[in-house]
Amino acid sequence: MNNDLVPTTANLHSTENSKVILFFDMPLVSGNKYLLNIKNLADCSGNSMSEIDVEIYIPGVPELGDLSWNEILLIRNQVAKILWNFIIKVIKQLI
């Protein structure tokens, strides 16, 4: 794991205030895992977020038959369970 992932610039998204765009001075290489430490982050009301580490994986180019998920949103336990069951059902149909 590459622990040297430090953004050189962080900009607030121009139309969506809940998103931040990070810029790095080195390219992220496919097949590598990176660890991004997020701290000292607060919203406009001053509510601060706890420090967290986020693992980022840059996948390689998918090959025929590969299945790639770029985002899984877990809102509540029940929603997560329904989403997980749906994903398993889709995967079983593809096998």
Side-chain angles (χ1 to χ4, degrees), residues 70-84:
N70 66 348
E71 181 177 346
I72 297 177
L73 179 61
L74 304 178
I75 300 170
R76 299 260 184 241
N77 288 339
Q78 188 62 30
V79 174
K81 184 177 179 182
I82 292 168
L83 179 61
W84 180 252

Side-chain angles (χ1 to χ4, degrees), residues 61-67:
V61 177
E63 296 179 13
L64 182 63
D66 285 353
L67 181 62

Side-chain angles (χ1 to χ4, degrees), residues 25-80:
D25 60 359
M26 63 178 195
L28 302 182
V29 179
S30 65
N32 287 355
K33 290 182 182 179
Y34 299 92
L35 188 64
L36 178 65
N37 177 264
I38 302 172
K39 60 185 174 185
N40 303 325
L41 191 64
D43 63 16
C44 296
S45 299
N47 301 312
S48 60
M49 185 176 99
S50 299
E51 180 176 343
I52 61 168
D53 288 325
V54 178
E55 187 176 300
I56 298 173
Y57 175 72
I58 308 299
V61 177
E63 296 179 13
L64 182 63
D66 285 353
L67 181 62
S68 177
W69 299 92
N70 66 348
E71 181 177 346
I72 297 177
L73 179 61
L74 304 178
I75 300 170
R76 299 260 184 241
N77 288 339
Q78 188 62 30
V79 174

